């Protein structure tokens, strides 16, 4: 009995070692996959805040919470099993599905550019495609749905990149790596978005607080007059109040810049997905042109070669994305939507 017990304990210890090694391997694989998907993660973080702009401060965090929950569902409930099933049974379907999503990103981004350049025509297009409901709750729900749709495409790209980093791993490890990367990236992106959208409120609190150290330590002020402040409060208050005023003044500008970056990110990522998909189907011309332009620009500026090559590649993909989006806008407005309305009338 004692020998059998010792053998059993030895087996358990061996299994524990294997489990620990597997956990380390999963962590390492997830870290590598997350690093490769970093570009899309940054795009996701840049795109999301624009869906929160225009709402009252009280609704900002609840909206971010709804979008983050939708993002987590996208990754863990839909994309994770879909990615695993498609990789096993229909790997050929991954590219066209990603291209379809890329076309959606191109359309969304190009529509924002269209709205900035020709607001009247963009308004007419918006009315033709989807009527805006004046009800605040329905408007918020529509914004959240739009953000979750965009997140779905970006998340699909993240999951595809992640899966491509572990093609030879066992099925269970692929699933765990996808889950770890999906949950980690969601927490990172939407935690950052929550900080961004609430930074102006933090600025107001800092600008109006003359006792930052006492407030931080939970100390009660002895009076309202300035002389009652501690030495630490008197020394730090100008700095914290200046930081608060800077946040209040700077965040509107930062959010506008982030909105532009988010729009650029959509057409860049969407265009890049589309170019890569065309290469997969034996149409490498667009990809070759973009790559050649990026290499030529990088050779012309060797001191900043890597940055220039990345910028030119991103600009080329973005320009292609704008062309794709510009082609989709009239097709959607004058072909798809009229057909859809006719079918709806017939069904009614």
């Amino acid at each position: 009995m004692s020998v059998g017990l010792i053998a059993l304990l030895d087996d358990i210890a061996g299994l524990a070692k294997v489990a620990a090694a597997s956990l380390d391997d999963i962590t390492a694989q997830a870290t590598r996959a997350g690093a490769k998907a970093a570009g899309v993660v940054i795009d996701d973080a840049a795109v999301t805040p624009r869906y929160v702009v225009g709402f009252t401060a009280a609704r900002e965090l609840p909206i971010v919470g709804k979008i983050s929950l939708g993002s987590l569902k996208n990754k863990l409930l839909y994309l994770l099993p879909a990615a695993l099933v498609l990789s096993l049974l229909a790997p050929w379907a991954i590219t066209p599905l990603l291209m379809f999503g890329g076309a959606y990103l191109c359309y969304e981004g190009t529509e924002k550019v269209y709205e900035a350049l020709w607001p009247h025509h963009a308004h007419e297009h918006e009315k033709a495609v989807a009527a805006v409901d004046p009800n605040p709750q329905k408007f918020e729900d529509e914004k959240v749905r739009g953000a979750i749709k965009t997140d779905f495409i970006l998340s699909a790209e993240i999951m595809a990149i992640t899966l491509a980093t572990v093609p030879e791993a066992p099925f269970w490890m692929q699933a765990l790596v996808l889950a770890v990367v999906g949950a980690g990236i969601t927490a990172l992106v939407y935690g950052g978005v929550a900080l961004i959208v609430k930074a102006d409120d933090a600025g107001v609190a800092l600008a109006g607080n003359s006792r930052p150290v006492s407030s931080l330590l939970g100390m009660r002020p002895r009076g309202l007059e300035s002389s009652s402040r501690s030495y630490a409060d008197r020394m730090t208050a100008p700095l914290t109040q200046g930081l608060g005023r800077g946040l209040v003044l700077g965040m509107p500008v930062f959010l506008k810049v982030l909105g532009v970056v988010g729009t650029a990110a959509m057409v860049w990522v969407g265009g890049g997905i589309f170019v890569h998909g065309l290469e997969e189907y034996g149409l490498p011309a667009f990809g070759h042109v973009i790559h050649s332009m990026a290499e030529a620009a990088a050779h012309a500026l060797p001191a900043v070669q890597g940055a220039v090559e990345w910028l030119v590649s991103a600009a080329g993909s973005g320009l292609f994305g704008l062309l794709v989006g510009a082609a989709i806008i009239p097709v959607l407005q004058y072909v798809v939507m009229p057909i859809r309305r006719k079918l709806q009338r017939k069904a009614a």
Side-chain angles (χ1 to χ4, degrees):
M1 289 293 291
S2 60
V3 173
L5 180 60
I6 291 170
L8 177 61
L9 291 174
D10 186 56
D11 289 341
I12 292 172
L15 288 172
K17 288 179 182 178
V18 172
S22 297
L23 184 61
D24 290 341
D25 196 17
I26 290 166
T27 303
Q29 296 276 20
T31 302
R32 283 197 292 272
K36 286 194 174 185
V40 186
V41 173
I42 293 168
D43 297 335
D44 203 358
V47 167
T48 305
R50 72 184 185 84
Y51 288 98
V52 185
V53 174
F55 290 97
T56 62
R59 294 305 307 156
E60 288 173 344
L61 286 183
I63 290 172
V64 173
K66 287 180 182 179
I67 298 171
S68 62
L69 181 60
S71 175
L72 200 60
K73 288 180 178 178
N74 282 343
K75 293 180 180 72
L76 300 185
L77 297 184
Y78 309 129
L79 291 170
L80 190 155
L84 293 172
V85 170
L86 287 176
S87 67
L88 286 174
L89 303 179
W92 54 267
I94 294 176
T95 296
L97 288 172
L98 284 175
M99 288 181 73
F100 182 80
Y104 175 79
L105 289 179
C106 292
Y107 166 73
E108 282 278 293
T110 305
E111 192 182 34
K112 298 303 174 188
V113 176
Y114 189 40
E115 184 179 0
L117 296 178
W118 298 284
H120 175 71
H121 295 293
H123 183 64
E124 292 298 319
H125 170 73
E126 186 68 23
K127 284 201 303 184
V129 172
V132 178
D133 198 308
N135 183 285
Q137 185 59 53
K138 290 184 178 179
F139 178 70
E140 177 182 314
D141 293 341
E142 187 61 34
K143 278 281 190 178
V144 169
R145 279 194 295 270
I148 292 174
K149 284 179 186 176
T150 301
D151 174 273
F152 186 89
I153 309 304
L154 294 171
S155 294
E157 182 74 358
I158 290 168
M159 300 301 260
I161 292 170
T162 301
L163 192 59
T165 63
V166 287
E168 305 301 326
F171 182 85
W172 66 268
M173 183 176 286
Q174 288 181 336
L176 282 175
V177 169
L178 286 171
V180 169
V181 171
I185 284 176
T186 300
L188 177 67
V189 168
Y190 291 99
V193 170
L195 289 175
I196 289 170
V197 300
K198 298 307 291 183
D200 53 349
D201 293 340
V204 171
L206 286 171
N209 190 355
S210 61
R211 296 182 175 83
V213 176
S214 298
S215 300
L216 182 64
L217 298 177
M219 297 169 58
R220 292 183 180 179
R222 290 174 294 174
L224 297 177
E225 67 280 0
S226 176
S227 60
S228 69
R229 293 187 301 167
S230 67
Y231 175 76
D233 285 330
R234 291 196 299 273
M235 292 298 294
T236 57
L239 296 176
T240 57
Q241 289 178 327
L243 174 62
R245 286 190 288 269
L247 286 172
V248 171
L249 294 174
M251 283 311 297
V253 177
F254 177 74
L255 285 172
K256 285 183 180 178
V257 172
L258 198 61
V260 173
V261 172
T263 298
M266 292 176 82
V267 294
W268 163 43
V269 174
I273 292 172
F274 222 85
V275 168
H276 180 69
L278 291 176
E279 289 175 341
E280 291 285 322
Y281 286 115
L283 297 170
F286 296 105
H288 285 170
V289 169
I290 293 171
H291 183 66
S292 300
M293 290 171 58
E295 281 192 335
H299 289 152
L301 296 168
V304 285
Q305 184 172 350
V308 170
E309 185 171 357
W310 181 86
L311 284 171
V312 174
S313 295
S317 296
L319 180 59
F320 187 84
L322 284 173
L323 294 175
V324 172
I328 292 173
I329 286 175
V331 171
L332 187 63
Q333 182 172 348
Y334 298 112
V335 179
V336 175
M337 293 310 297
I339 292 175
R340 181 183 175 186
R341 290 192 193 97
K342 286 182 180 178
L343 291 175
Q344 285 176 338
R345 282 197 293 268
K346 286 181 179 180

